[in-house]
Amino acid sequence: MSDTENRIVIAIDGFSSCGKSTFAKAIAARLGYIFIDTGAMYRAVTLYALEQGAIRSGIVDEEAVVALLDDMDITFRFNPQRGASDIYVDGNLVEGKIRTIEVSNCVSQVSAIPAVRQKLVAMQQEMGRHRGVVMDGRDIGTVVFPDAELKLFMTADPAVRAQRRYDELSAKGQQVTLSDIERNVRERDQADMTRAVSPLRKAEDAIELDNSHMTIDEQMKWFMERLADVYRNRR
Ligand code: DC
């Protein structure tokens, strides 16, 4: 097999704040693949909708959000310092602005809008067309790349996830409480699993990874064994 034929799609789905992006980024760096954080795309649409007044006092005006989609230009640019791509909307860097609690509180509603999913899924499929990508999200193994060669489904205890998100936001100087974060994590789990379009679910052929009590090194060792299985089964 040539190097190009060897390149596969790695789909990582799972609950919010499971460390999917950190893990996906580490895998991409190890394999020389492109890492795509699809959650960042749903967050970017949500931020733009907030800024444009399509969400007011936490109420999402679906028609107004859909009307914004055509004019909204989402791009990624690799940032060597972060070892990952930063997300831009209409040429403006929004990486820092998309991870606030305001965006987190509205993103499940925005990501449940069918036209939003349609646009972002098409972009994601285009970005992974040449394979060699690690994509993390909620519907990568089920909808975006049902033919991904390796699918992971990540879970972790909600209390552990809330603590991780709290530590991350506090380190960035955001004023948040652990109970607000835990409520948001549980509400988003519920919303992501029960929405009508592309609900979060484990693909039948996905391998589950509960990383509540695992370090990133332990996860990487586990992953490299699963990757070896993929290539062994292909021969
Ligand atoms: O991974 P994250 O927490 O940054 O994702 C933010 C939200 O976007 C999450 O609540 C659900 C939604 N999402 C989605 O519906 N489909 C994806 N592929 C990725 C994220």
Side-chain angles (χ1 to χ4, degrees), residues 41-62:
M41 300 167 76
Y42 290 94
R43 287 173 177 275
V45 174
T46 306
L47 174 73
Y48 192 69
L50 280 161
E51 288 177 348
Q52 300 294 317
I55 304 174
R56 286 176 202 270
S57 314
I59 313 238
V60 179
D61 178 340
E62 290 198 13

Side-chain angles (χ1 to χ4, degrees), residues 103-132:
V103 171
S104 295
N105 281 336
C106 302
V107 67
S108 284
Q109 270 175 280
V110 171
S111 62
I113 302 172
V116 171
R117 302 205 71 82
Q118 214 174 5
K119 173 172 169 134
L120 298 190
V121 166
M123 283 180 68
Q124 291 152 13
Q125 288 171 334
E126 178 58 28
M127 289 189 276
R129 198 158 57 92
H130 302 295
R131 311 200 88 76

